[in-house]
Amino acid sequence: MNRIEHQSYSPVYNGMPARELGSEGWHKPWSGGNGGNCLEAMKLADGRVAVRQSTDPDGPALIYTPDEMNAFIQGAKAGVADFLLS
């Protein structure tokens, strides 16, 4: 069963096991020189975005709306999240 078929039969919710979203379609947009410890993101069919920890691909997936992701990314670009780096 592919990811799209699975999503049509099972509700997607915040904190669900990431494995239930399938193994295809995950990307590491924030990968860097951190030994492979990074976030992975997947755009869902309904426009929401799932995020999981790359070192725990079977762990929980956090599900964000497009507006939430836009606010976070724009805020991070503007330096609003810089406090997370120190």
mmCIF file of all heavy atoms in Angstrom, residues 20-40:
data_model
loop_
_atom_site.group_PDB
_atom_site.id
_atom_site.type_symbol
_atom_site.label_atom_id
_atom_site.label_comp_id
_atom_site.label_asym_id
_atom_site.label_seq_id
_atom_site.Cartn_x
_atom_site.Cartn_y
_atom_site.Cartn_z
ATOM 1 N N GLU A 20 3.782 5.108 9.855
ATOM 2 C CA GLU A 20 2.453 4.995 9.253
ATOM 3 C C GLU A 20 2.294 5.906 8.038
ATOM 4 O O GLU A 20 1.344 5.749 7.268
ATOM 5 C CB GLU A 20 1.366 5.285 10.289
ATOM 6 C CG GLU A 20 1.272 4.211 11.358
ATOM 7 C CD GLU A 20 0.167 4.455 12.362
ATOM 8 O OE1 GLU A 20 -0.722 5.298 12.114
ATOM 9 O OE2 GLU A 20 0.198 3.801 13.416
ATOM 10 N N LEU A 21 3.209 6.850 7.860
ATOM 11 C CA LEU A 21 3.180 7.723 6.685
ATOM 12 C C LEU A 21 3.973 7.143 5.525
ATOM 13 O O LEU A 21 4.008 7.719 4.447
ATOM 14 C CB LEU A 21 3.727 9.106 7.051
ATOM 15 C CG LEU A 21 2.877 9.896 8.038
ATOM 16 C CD1 LEU A 21 3.629 11.133 8.509
ATOM 17 C CD2 LEU A 21 1.539 10.264 7.412
ATOM 18 N N GLY A 22 4.610 6.019 5.742
ATOM 19 C CA GLY A 22 5.400 5.380 4.701
ATOM 20 C C GLY A 22 6.852 5.793 4.771
ATOM 21 O O GLY A 22 7.236 6.684 5.535
ATOM 22 N N SER A 23 7.658 5.144 3.968
ATOM 23 C CA SER A 23 9.095 5.425 3.984
ATOM 24 C C SER A 23 9.531 6.305 2.816
ATOM 25 O O SER A 23 10.635 6.829 2.822
ATOM 26 C CB SER A 23 9.888 4.116 3.972
ATOM 27 O OG SER A 23 9.564 3.370 2.812
ATOM 28 N N GLU A 24 8.682 6.486 1.822
ATOM 29 C CA GLU A 24 9.031 7.309 0.664
ATOM 30 C C GLU A 24 8.511 8.729 0.836
ATOM 31 O O GLU A 24 7.469 8.948 1.445
ATOM 32 C CB GLU A 24 8.450 6.699 -0.603
ATOM 33 C CG GLU A 24 9.078 5.359 -0.943
ATOM 34 C CD GLU A 24 8.561 4.804 -2.251
ATOM 35 O OE1 GLU A 24 8.225 5.594 -3.145
ATOM 36 O OE2 GLU A 24 8.503 3.577 -2.358
ATOM 37 N N GLY A 25 9.257 9.680 0.296
ATOM 38 C CA GLY A 25 8.815 11.070 0.316
ATOM 39 C C GLY A 25 9.428 11.916 1.415
ATOM 40 O O GLY A 25 9.188 13.111 1.480
ATOM 41 N N TRP A 26 10.222 11.310 2.293
ATOM 42 C CA TRP A 26 10.890 12.067 3.348
ATOM 43 C C TRP A 26 12.136 12.725 2.779
ATOM 44 O O TRP A 26 12.874 12.121 2.009
ATOM 45 C CB TRP A 26 11.277 11.157 4.514
ATOM 46 C CG TRP A 26 10.097 10.641 5.278
ATOM 47 C CD1 TRP A 26 9.503 9.421 5.137
ATOM 48 C CD2 TRP A 26 9.373 11.320 6.295
ATOM 49 N NE1 TRP A 26 8.455 9.315 6.006
ATOM 50 C CE2 TRP A 26 8.346 10.457 6.727
ATOM 51 C CE3 TRP A 26 9.476 12.582 6.887
ATOM 52 C CZ2 TRP A 26 7.439 10.810 7.723
ATOM 53 C CZ3 TRP A 26 8.576 12.937 7.874
ATOM 54 C CH2 TRP A 26 7.573 12.065 8.287
ATOM 55 N N HIS A 27 12.381 13.972 3.154
ATOM 56 C CA HIS A 27 13.555 14.726 2.700
ATOM 57 C C HIS A 27 14.282 15.289 3.911
ATOM 58 O O HIS A 27 13.675 15.544 4.946
ATOM 59 C CB HIS A 27 13.138 15.887 1.786
ATOM 60 C CG HIS A 27 12.409 15.430 0.574
ATOM 61 N ND1 HIS A 27 13.063 14.990 -0.559
ATOM 62 C CD2 HIS A 27 11.084 15.325 0.315
ATOM 63 C CE1 HIS A 27 12.169 14.635 -1.458
ATOM 64 N NE2 HIS A 27 10.955 14.829 -0.959
ATOM 65 N N LYS A 28 15.585 15.505 3.764
ATOM 66 C CA LYS A 28 16.419 16.083 4.823
ATOM 67 C C LYS A 28 16.842 17.494 4.414
ATOM 68 O O LYS A 28 17.988 17.725 4.064
ATOM 69 C CB LYS A 28 17.644 15.218 5.076
ATOM 70 C CG LYS A 28 17.330 13.854 5.621
ATOM 71 C CD LYS A 28 18.599 13.057 5.846
ATOM 72 C CE LYS A 28 18.269 11.672 6.360
ATOM 73 N NZ LYS A 28 19.450 10.867 6.576
ATOM 74 N N PRO A 29 15.922 18.447 4.480
ATOM 75 C CA PRO A 29 16.274 19.805 4.043
ATOM 76 C C PRO A 29 17.236 20.516 4.978
ATOM 77 O O PRO A 29 17.840 21.508 4.596
ATOM 78 C CB PRO A 29 14.929 20.516 3.985
ATOM 79 C CG PRO A 29 14.074 19.780 4.955
ATOM 80 C CD PRO A 29 14.537 18.346 4.897
ATOM 81 N N TRP A 30 17.378 20.030 6.197
ATOM 82 C CA TRP A 30 18.223 20.715 7.174
ATOM 83 C C TRP A 30 19.456 19.902 7.512
ATOM 84 O O TRP A 30 20.030 20.042 8.563
ATOM 85 C CB TRP A 30 17.424 21.012 8.443
ATOM 86 C CG TRP A 30 16.250 21.874 8.157
ATOM 87 C CD1 TRP A 30 16.279 23.225 7.906
ATOM 88 C CD2 TRP A 30 14.897 21.486 8.052
ATOM 89 N NE1 TRP A 30 15.012 23.675 7.655
ATOM 90 C CE2 TRP A 30 14.135 22.630 7.741
ATOM 91 C CE3 TRP A 30 14.232 20.268 8.175
ATOM 92 C CZ2 TRP A 30 12.761 22.602 7.568
ATOM 93 C CZ3 TRP A 30 12.864 20.241 7.995
ATOM 94 C CH2 TRP A 30 12.145 21.395 7.696
ATOM 95 N N SER A 31 19.869 19.029 6.618
ATOM 96 C CA SER A 31 21.026 18.188 6.868
ATOM 97 C C SER A 31 22.294 19.026 6.795
ATOM 98 O O SER A 31 22.396 19.953 6.012
ATOM 99 C CB SER A 31 21.082 17.063 5.837
ATOM 100 O OG SER A 31 22.104 16.166 6.151
ATOM 101 N N GLY A 32 23.235 18.696 7.605
ATOM 102 C CA GLY A 32 24.488 19.436 7.609
ATOM 103 C C GLY A 32 25.596 18.593 8.191
ATOM 104 O O GLY A 32 25.515 17.378 8.221
ATOM 105 N N GLY A 33 26.591 19.249 8.711
ATOM 106 C CA GLY A 33 27.738 18.574 9.296
ATOM 107 C C GLY A 33 27.484 18.136 10.724
ATOM 108 O O GLY A 33 28.273 18.410 11.612
ATOM 109 N N ASN A 34 26.379 17.465 10.955
ATOM 110 C CA ASN A 34 26.015 17.071 12.315
ATOM 111 C C ASN A 34 25.985 15.561 12.488
ATOM 112 O O ASN A 34 25.301 15.040 13.363
ATOM 113 C CB ASN A 34 24.662 17.680 12.689
ATOM 114 C CG ASN A 34 23.583 17.317 11.699
ATOM 115 O OD1 ASN A 34 23.774 16.458 10.853
ATOM 116 N ND2 ASN A 34 22.453 17.960 11.794
ATOM 117 N N GLY A 35 26.696 14.845 11.636
ATOM 118 C CA GLY A 35 26.759 13.397 11.770
ATOM 119 C C GLY A 35 25.475 12.673 11.399
ATOM 120 O O GLY A 35 25.248 11.556 11.835
ATOM 121 N N GLY A 36 24.611 13.300 10.629
ATOM 122 C CA GLY A 36 23.381 12.660 10.204
ATOM 123 C C GLY A 36 22.196 12.880 11.115
ATOM 124 O O GLY A 36 21.112 12.383 10.856
ATOM 125 N N ASN A 37 22.395 13.591 12.215
ATOM 126 C CA ASN A 37 21.296 13.897 13.124
ATOM 127 C C ASN A 37 20.568 15.133 12.611
ATOM 128 O O ASN A 37 21.055 16.241 12.747
ATOM 129 C CB ASN A 37 21.805 14.155 14.547
ATOM 130 C CG ASN A 37 22.465 12.936 15.127
ATOM 131 O OD1 ASN A 37 21.986 11.833 14.943
ATOM 132 N ND2 ASN A 37 23.560 13.128 15.821
ATOM 133 N N CYS A 38 19.425 14.917 12.009
ATOM 134 C CA CYS A 38 18.717 16.052 11.445
ATOM 135 C C CYS A 38 17.219 15.755 11.376
ATOM 136 O O CYS A 38 16.776 14.657 11.685
ATOM 137 C CB CYS A 38 19.258 16.387 10.057
ATOM 138 S SG CYS A 38 19.246 14.998 8.921
ATOM 139 N N LEU A 39 16.496 16.741 10.961
ATOM 140 C CA LEU A 39 15.065 16.588 10.759
ATOM 141 C C LEU A 39 14.798 16.120 9.344
ATOM 142 O O LEU A 39 15.525 16.457 8.423
ATOM 143 C CB LEU A 39 14.346 17.919 10.976
ATOM 144 C CG LEU A 39 14.404 18.505 12.372
ATOM 145 C CD1 LEU A 39 13.727 19.869 12.391
ATOM 146 C CD2 LEU A 39 13.749 17.584 13.373
ATOM 147 N N GLU A 40 13.729 15.361 9.186
ATOM 148 C CA GLU A 40 13.247 14.977 7.874
ATOM 149 C C GLU A 40 11.828 15.508 7.744
ATOM 150 O O GLU A 40 11.070 15.521 8.719
ATOM 151 C CB GLU A 40 13.241 13.461 7.709
ATOM 152 C CG GLU A 40 14.628 12.867 7.719
ATOM 153 C CD GLU A 40 14.617 11.360 7.586
ATOM 154 O OE1 GLU A 40 13.804 10.698 8.253
ATOM 155 O OE2 GLU A 40 15.430 10.858 6.815
#
